[in-house]
Amino acid sequence: MNSPTASSPTSSTASPPTSSLAAITSERWNARVWGTLVVLCGVILLDGLDVSMVGVALPSIRSDLHLSTSSLQWVVSGYVLGSGGLLLLGGRAADPPGRRRVFLAALAAFTVASLLGGLTSDGTLLVVTRFLKGASAAFTAPAGLSIITTSFAEGQARNRALSIYTACGASGFSLGLVLGGVLTEIGWRWTFFLPVPIALTILFAARRLIPHDTAPESQRGGYDLAGAVTITASMLLLVATVVEAPTVGWGAARTLGSFVAVAALLTAFFQIERRSAHPLIRLGILRAAALARANVIAMAVFGGYVGFQFIGTLYLQSLNGWSALETALAFLPAGLLVAAGAPRIGPVVERFGTGRVIATGMAAFVAGYALFLRIGAAPSYGALLLPTVLLIGIGFALSFPSLNIQATAGVADHEQGLASGLVNTSFQLGGAIVLAVVTAVIGTGAASHSPTAAVAAFRPGLAVVTGIATAGLLVALGGVFVRRVAADDAGAQEAETPADREGDCERAEAAVALAEFGL
């Protein structure tokens, strides 16, 4: 991390546009700091906007392009696999000196892919454009997060910046729900066209405001393309195998052969990482327990939500005839809760630690999904959907910023891109894998015109979602327990010094706080 002495507002203001920002520690940020943060937040807002708009439009896309339920899930999975499969490469490219260059190039590619997606009338080509958009996000997300975590000093300044960053993503998601509902009523293609002018505006501002970054020669090197290809291919094959298995047969030679191929690709990936001079993952970083837990829980968070949203959208629109706008407004309270709550999570984390906050968020997810298991042929918004949506909003507001803080805390500047890339990879791959499982579980019954048959198909998928969230909760609770034991041991050792007994309580509280942040 950069020296705190170089973080004064004066020095930052005086820096020319081509210089990098020093690590900000001051609570008062000047115009250039705010400008950089606004640009980075604009991209995460755009990502949230795009994901939620397309999610609302899925039934209209299926009807217009005559897609099956299994084909429709690829509109979602194409994006998350493009993102998750290449996020490790994106995280590596986001380490110095590539942050600014990668950020701008990926944003330009996102703009082009969005335009092409709105123009296509073929389901396969639509999935390809979604994959390209996800691949673009795989580079903008870790680059943007890496710029933040190296521009703001670890602690209060970084937590505040990450909270604002997360709130913008939630705001984009909330705004996308409303805009997606309105635009889908006009035509689903407009959900692809709208991001184009927004991305062009952000791209113009980013060229002026994002600082150039440099690094010592020892931190510069090539990129592990072989690793990126093997991990992406393994995830694509895994999702395709899970989706097709109910039709082909779980015990069929084709299914079993595909699983063997997935295992072989993953084995090859880890072998490549061990031998590569510039690996996507420095495998030793996974020994950090806090980082490992954050990644596992991230998979459960986004995987559970993507599965729930997919089922919920089909349930409301295809089965019960709700309009796209009505569906969007039904999900909106969750996004509003995240937008309002995420900026205030920084002080909560500082007081209680990331472990407890994440565990509380996961408990909210479990309760929300469990309540939705009560679905019937006709939805009751006040009694059924609203409580679930509110609990999901609370879960995201608590867990999402806390997971980002936990995943990047204590990580050296030159590996911030890797750490942020790992946690974003986990979010995306969790979404793809869980959605594939949910799609396989609900099968063809989801397209049934019989309310009884459709609901009977949806319930097992919701049970999978609830189970995934429960697993995430157990991992989070395990982390809290381990940290509490470590903090108690540290407090006991401090108390053995007689001269220090007067400050035992203060030291124990500090030990707990440091342990909660993974330091």
Side-chain angles (χ1 to χ4, degrees):
M1 178 166 292
N2 296 332
S3 172
T5 58
S7 61
S8 68
T10 303
S11 63
S12 181
T13 305
S15 299
T18 58
S19 65
S20 61
L21 292 175
I24 306 300
T25 58
S26 173
E27 294 184 13
R28 299 182 62 183
W29 298 344
N30 58 45
R32 179 162 180 76
V33 172
W34 275 111
T36 302
L37 185 59
V38 166
V39 166
L40 298 173
C41 288
V43 173
I44 194 67
L45 184 145
L46 182 62
D47 285 345
L49 189 78
D50 181 79
V51 169
S52 59
M53 285 196 302
V54 173
V56 172
L58 286 176
S60 295
I61 294 173
R62 178 171 70 170
S63 176
D64 191 24
L65 300 184
H66 308 291
L67 301 177
S68 65
T69 300
S70 59
S71 297
L72 184 67
Q73 68 90 27
W74 279 105
V75 176
V76 179
S77 294
Y79 182 93
V80 297
L81 283 173
S83 178
L86 293 173
L87 265 169
L88 294 173
L89 181 62
R92 178 67 179 85
D95 286 324
R99 295 185 182 106
R100 182 179 186 274
R101 182 173 61 252
V102 166
F103 185 85
L104 296 177
L107 184 56
F110 180 94
T111 306
V112 174
S114 190
L115 178 61
L116 294 176
L119 294 173
T120 186
S121 295
D122 180 79
T124 301
L125 291 178
L126 181 65
V127 171
V128 170
T129 64
R130 292 289 291 165
F131 181 85
L132 292 175
K133 291 181 77 172
S136 301
F139 290 87
T140 58
L145 188 56
S146 182
I147 291 170
I148 288 177
T149 55
T150 53
S151 297
F152 296 87
E154 189 171 319
Q156 186 174 8
R158 184 184 295 179
N159 292 349
R160 180 188 178 195
L162 287 174
S163 295
I164 295 171
Y165 183 73
T166 304
C168 287
S171 299
F173 184 85
S174 302
L175 183 61
L177 287 172
V178 177
L179 290 176
V182 173
L183 293 174
T184 302
E185 296 294 324
I186 302 172
W188 63 264
R189 296 179 187 278
W190 288 101
T191 63
F192 285 79
F193 289 142
L194 180 63
V196 175
I198 299 174
L200 287 173
T201 302
I202 296 173
L203 186 61
F204 175 79
R207 287 179 60 86
R208 299 179 59 87
L209 291 170
I210 299 295
H212 288 268
D213 50 316
T214 59
E217 289 294 332
S218 60
Q219 292 180 10
R220 303 182 185 185
Y223 299 123
D224 181 14
L225 296 179
V229 169
T230 51
I231 188 63
T232 304
S234 66
M235 292 299 102
L236 284 169
L237 182 57
L238 175 61
V239 170
T241 303
V242 172
V243 170
E244 294 176 1
T247 302
V248 177
W250 288 98
R254 176 179 167 184
T255 301
L256 296 177
S258 293
F259 280 128
V260 171
V262 170
L265 284 169
L266 289 174
T267 301
F269 170 73
F270 283 105
Q271 290 299 321
I272 290 169
E273 297 312 287
R274 291 179 61 187
R275 299 173 182 175
S276 175
H278 305 286
L280 293 180
I281 302 177
R282 183 181 65 80
L283 297 178
I285 198 173
L286 297 176
R287 296 171 185 166
L291 175 62
R293 279 192 297 268
N295 280 271
V296 172
I297 298 170
M299 295 183 72
V301 168
F302 197 61
Y305 178 74
V306 169
F308 165 77
Q309 186 190 40
F310 188 78
I311 293 174
T313 302
L314 294 179
Y315 172 67
L316 294 176
Q317 292 189 46
S318 300
L319 181 60
N320 290 285
W322 287 34
S323 69
L325 180 58
E326 288 172 328
T327 303
L329 293 176
F331 285 106
L332 182 60
L336 294 177
L337 270 176
V338 181
R344 297 169 174 81
I345 293 301
V348 176
V349 168
E350 291 172 5
R351 178 176 176 82
F352 297 103
T354 54
R356 294 172 185 171
V357 176
I358 292 170
T360 304
M362 292 309 301
F365 279 121
V366 172
Y369 297 144
L371 285 175
F372 203 65
L373 284 167
R374 301 175 298 143
I375 61 171
S380 171
Y381 185 70
L384 176 67
L385 188 57
L386 183 59
T388 292
V389 168
L390 291 176
L391 285 167
I392 289 173
I394 293 171
F396 264 114
L398 292 173
S399 63
F400 191 74
S402 303
L403 286 168
N404 277 288
I405 292 171
Q406 185 178 93
T408 57
V411 177
D413 273 5
H414 71 278
E415 288 194 321
Q416 284 290 332
L418 171 58
S420 60
L422 277 171
V423 73
N424 278 282
T425 295
S426 296
F427 276 117
Q428 301 299 332
L429 293 185
I433 294 170
V434 175
L435 179 57
V437 173
V438 167
T439 303
V441 168
I442 64 178
T444 57
S448 174
H449 294 292
S450 166
T452 302
V455 169
F458 288 145
R459 282 204 182 103
L462 291 171
V464 170
V465 167
T466 306
I468 293 294
T470 302
L473 173 61
L474 293 176
V475 173
L477 290 174
V480 172
F481 175 77
V482 169
R483 290 169 181 170
R484 181 181 293 276
V485 170
D488 288 344
D489 289 344
Q493 291 177 4
E494 290 285 346
E496 290 176 0
T497 305
D500 294 336
R501 291 185 183 276
E502 188 176 351
D504 283 346
C505 293
E506 289 78 8
R507 281 192 298 275
E509 291 174 358
V512 171
L514 290 172
E516 290 290 339
F517 276 98
L519 299 178

